[in-house]
Amino acid sequence: QVQLVESGGGLVQAGDSLRLSCTVSGPTDFVGWFRQAPGKEREFVGRISGSTGSTLYTDSVKGRFTISRENARNTVYLEMNDLKIEDTAVYYCAAIGQGDGQYLYWGQGTQVTVSS
């Protein structure tokens, strides 16, 4: 019922900004962003509510990253500012479908590489 596709990753320098996009098909309660660096566990970045638009962020990105959605509500963005080398990871968007209560749907991931 839900499909997600991420885009916008690339190579940037420390201190730069980058915006990732997640195109969402199907009804969702939440759309979240996660990231995974090589050899590390998947990390929750933040999420946006499909019903209220409220956002929540993990402490490590709070103040630098912003999750938003376009008016049509079919695209969710992750705006990343003041990128650091440690932000390098594959970034995934994921969705909690309506009534599911858990992240069951995942995009394919997009690589973000931050260099000095």
Side-chain angles (χ1 to χ4, degrees), residues 2-78:
V2 179
Q3 294 181 338
L4 308 99
V5 179
E6 306 97 332
S7 63
L11 279 67
V12 298
Q13 294 184 347
D16 285 351
S17 298
L18 196 65
R19 177 181 293 182
L20 306 182
S21 299
C22 176
T23 300
V24 183
S25 299
T28 61
D29 285 335
F30 296 93
V31 174
W33 285 95
F34 298 79
R35 65 185 182 184
Q36 187 168 24
K40 297 183 179 180
E41 295 292 320
R42 184 181 62 198
E43 177 187 21
F44 171 78
V45 175
R47 64 107 177 103
I48 187 167
S49 170
S51 59
T52 69
S54 64
T55 54
L56 179 70
Y57 305 93
T58 192
D59 287 343
S60 63
V61 306
K62 187 177 181 180
R64 295 191 299 122
F65 291 10
T66 301
I67 299 174
S68 62
R69 65 189 183 192
E70 67 175 23
N71 292 336
R73 300 169 66 96
N74 64 343
T75 302
V76 175
Y77 301 98
L78 177 64

Side-chain angles (χ1 to χ4, degrees), residues 66-111:
T66 301
I67 299 174
S68 62
R69 65 189 183 192
E70 67 175 23
N71 292 336
R73 300 169 66 96
N74 64 343
T75 302
V76 175
Y77 301 98
L78 177 64
E79 300 178 24
M80 304 180 292
N81 298 310
D82 191 26
L83 282 162
K84 306 177 184 298
I85 293 177
E86 52 264 39
D87 293 319
T88 295
V90 177
Y91 284 72
Y92 300 88
C93 60
I96 300 176
Q98 283 189 353
D100 287 348
Q102 57 188 336
Y103 289 102
L104 296 178
Y105 306 96
W106 295 81
Q108 83 288 350
T110 185
Q111 176 72 48

